[in-house]
Amino acid sequence: MKVLVLNCGSSSVKFQLIETDPELMEKGEEKVLAKGLVERIGEPMGNLKYSATCREPLSIQAPVPRHQEAIEKILSLLTDAEHGVVKSVDEIEVVGHRMVHGGEEFKASVIIDEEVLAQIEKCSRLAPLHNPHNIRGYLASRETISAVPHVAVFDTAFHQSMPKYAYLYALPYEMYTEHGIRRYSFHGTSHRYVSNQAARMLGKKRWDFKIITCHLGNGCSMAAISNGKSVDTSMGLTPLEGLVMGTRCGDIDPAVVLYMIDLEGYNPEKVGGLMNKKSGLLGVSGVSNDMRELLQACEQGNERAQTAVDIFCYRIKKYIGAYAAAMGGVDLVIFTGGIGENAPIVRKKCCEDLAFMNIEIDDQANNNVKGRDAIISNADRHVKVFVVHTNEEVVIARDSVQCVLQGAPE
Ligand code: ADP
């Protein structure tokens, strides 16, 4: 089946056309027929990048007023005689949409109908910067590809299996019942993909292991996965909680917020901006939010850059310990995301001195990953440490097919 995967942001649409079916899924052999992105929607000049199997990559500059035109342009390229990979839009059998927030309503991916749409709209109050754009993309694509099912795949759904003691904050209970204040967390599709993939590399299923996944990109989160289910995860009501990130501070004493308001006269918007956009690796180092630049600065002896990297890795190491305790052990630790996949020194530091927990990196394996999925731990240790290249689009494609063929996927 050909699945069009769409990830719509405020001014962008990322897309992939993926061929998959139950047999290809079982073998993990899905084919990406075409992919690309439209950026700067609504600006005077938009930008479209497109690549397809056996076709020259394209980069087109043209105004793209709305998501509707972006999707029409994508479809015209996919069906174009010179650049396309399908003869007509009718070959697309299902459309999968990334939806950021599914609240408590959605524990799995689902075919979108009017009732589902209304519920997703209700969740927008929890993700005002994301859900409205995801919905806009859905509505635009439904106009053009109206004859096939559209499936919503939520970042939050995988973590809906957390027990109450893991997701509830110790605030007055009404904050939860009346305002939905609890931990939801994000990156669920990535944590699910990499845990499945690592288990597959061992010829097993993710249900067979206690797994700690570390998604380290611009946004960073970790998950504890036991019996195949997410039982704890580091992000919270919003993506600000947990690990140190490019520009986000992650865990801090909540009273720091009150202190800043009191001491500096900051308003909530300013504090929010400071913690979301000016903190993390950027805030501590004063150099960059980009790990590549930070590692270079460390090599040149920049002390603040070194401190930023140290805090980043130390926080991850603490969470590894915490999640092993939460699950009563750990069998697999998995690194993914731009940093997790590409920065051996970060992986090494996160696992330093954990031999007492049977976690030890093999330096040669760690330094030779180079674009592959690989095991990087010392073979003598019980815990296997993996690098797995995440692929959220393939999860969206798989879920879309499963929703169509047999109802809700796991
Ligand atoms: P996003 O969360 O936006 O999807 P990515 O998963 O692409 O982000 O990760 C971006 C991060 O990955 C950046 O901090 C970037 O510096 C880092 N990164 C990418 N390549 C490397 C590399 N070769 N070495 C170290 N860090 C890298």
Side-chain angles (χ1 to χ4, degrees):
M1 290 174 84
K2 294 186 177 71
V3 188
L4 179 63
V5 174
L6 293 176
N7 179 353
C8 299
S10 59
S11 63
S12 69
V13 176
K14 290 189 194 138
F15 67 94
Q16 289 198 7
L17 185 66
I18 297 179
E19 170 98 59
T20 185
D21 59 32
E23 207 182 312
L24 291 171
M25 251 183 253
E26 185 59 34
K27 295 192 212 145
E29 289 179 358
E30 287 86 358
K31 292 187 203 93
V32 177
L33 304 175
K35 64 179 176 179
L37 95 151
V38 183
E39 295 171 297
R40 308 216 179 103
I41 297 171
E43 292 183 27
M45 191 53 79
N47 189 23
L48 186 149
K49 292 199 177 100
Y50 174 88
S51 62
T53 37
C54 311
R55 303 275 191 270
E56 279 294 302
L58 277 180
S59 178
I60 302 170
Q61 276 72 46
V64 185
R66 296 171 308 155
H67 287 72
Q68 177 83 38
E69 286 78 12
I71 287 161
E72 282 166 10
K73 187 73 203 154
I74 291 165
L75 291 175
S76 85
L77 276 171
L78 289 172
T79 51
D80 177 271
E82 194 181 342
H83 306 286
V85 285
V86 287
K87 287 202 179 70
S88 95
V89 173
D90 299 341
E91 284 185 45
I92 297 170
E93 286 169 87
V94 51
V95 184
H97 296 267
R98 179 200 180 201
M99 291 282 170
V100 166
H101 218 303
E104 289 190 330
E105 280 78 8
F106 297 104
K107 298 181 180 8
S109 303
V110 62
I111 294 179
I112 309 175
D113 58 20
E114 288 311 313
E115 196 183 324
V116 166
L117 182 61
Q119 280 176 317
I120 299 173
E121 277 166 348
K122 246 173 65 187
C123 296
S124 287
R125 90 195 144 88
L126 294 165
L129 300 179
H130 293 101
N131 273 29
H133 308 302
N134 303 155
I135 293 168
R136 188 170 307 140
Y138 159 69
L139 292 172
S141 63
R142 188 176 73 170
E143 288 288 307
T144 335
I145 319 171
S146 52
V148 300
H150 289 245
V151 171
V153 180
F154 302 93
D155 281 22
T156 49
F158 183 54
H159 301 302
Q160 276 299 304
S161 49
M162 277 191 284
K164 203 166 201 171
Y165 57 75
Y167 72 68
L168 209 60
Y169 294 116
L171 290 167
Y173 200 71
E174 306 77 59
M175 289 292 133
Y176 168 57
T177 51
E178 287 172 22
H179 303 295
I181 296 179
R182 50 157 285 179
R183 300 175 63 245
Y184 294 95
S185 201
F186 304 89
H187 291 148
T189 39
S190 176
H191 291 292
R192 187 148 65 100
Y193 175 81
V194 299
S195 55
N196 282 337
Q197 184 65 13
R200 186 200 296 273
M201 285 166 72
L202 299 173
K204 301 217 170 168
K205 300 275 185 204
R206 71 167 196 265
W207 289 264
D208 299 323
F209 302 104
K210 290 173 176 161
I211 307 174
I212 297 173
T213 45
C214 314
H215 178 109
L216 312 178
N218 281 315
C220 302
S221 71
M222 287 173 61
I225 301 168
S226 185
N227 292 322
K229 292 186 160 57
S230 172
V231 293
D232 206 349
T233 175
S234 59
M235 283 178 168
L237 174 74
T238 74
L240 186 55
E241 190 181 348
L243 302 181
V244 175
M245 312 182 209
T247 59
R248 295 181 217 147
C249 57
D251 296 336
I252 56 166
D253 177 352
V256 171
V257 174
L258 308 177
Y259 197 74
M260 285 194 285
I261 290 170
D262 216 30
L263 201 71
E264 300 276 357
Y266 285 0
N267 61 24
E269 201 185 343
K270 181 135 185 173
V271 178
L274 186 139
M275 293 195 299
N276 276 294
K277 302 219 166 91
K278 296 189 174 166
S279 299
L281 293 173
L282 173 68
V284 176
S285 69
V287 172
S288 172
N289 61 322
D290 188 303
M291 185 56 87
R292 281 165 293 204
E293 289 176 25
L294 280 183
L295 293 175
Q296 265 176 9
C298 291
E299 273 179 26
Q300 289 155 6
N302 185 314
E303 238 175 79
R304 271 177 61 186
Q306 189 61 61
T307 306
V309 174
D310 289 348
I311 300 175
F312 182 88
C313 297
Y314 177 64
R315 182 84 49 93
I316 294 164
K317 184 165 145 178
K318 280 209 296 192
Y319 267 88
I320 291 176
Y323 285 173
M327 294 190 289
V330 53
D331 305 306
L332 316 181
V333 174
I334 305 169
F335 287 96
T336 190
I339 299 172
E341 292 163 19
N342 296 301
I345 190 152
V346 171
R347 298 191 294 257
K348 172 84 179 164
K349 276 174 82 67
C350 295
C351 296
E352 224 158 44
D353 301 324
L354 294 183
F356 79 96
M357 294 171 62
N358 253 312
I359 298 174
E360 191 176 28
I361 297 261
D362 176 290
D363 288 334
Q364 203 185 350
N366 187 34
N367 292 330
N368 284 307
V369 170
K370 299 198 173 79
R372 294 170 299 120
D373 293 346
I375 298 177
I376 57 165
S377 44
N378 181 333
D380 295 337
R381 298 288 175 186
H382 164 75
V383 179
K384 295 205 166 15
V385 183
F386 283 79
V387 176
V388 176
H389 293 72
T390 196
N391 193 339
E392 291 163 273
E393 290 77 13
V394 98
V395 176
I396 297 174
R398 286 175 187 171
D399 278 14
S400 301
V401 167
Q402 281 183 320
C403 277
V404 170
L405 292 183
Q406 65 208 38
E410 44 74 28

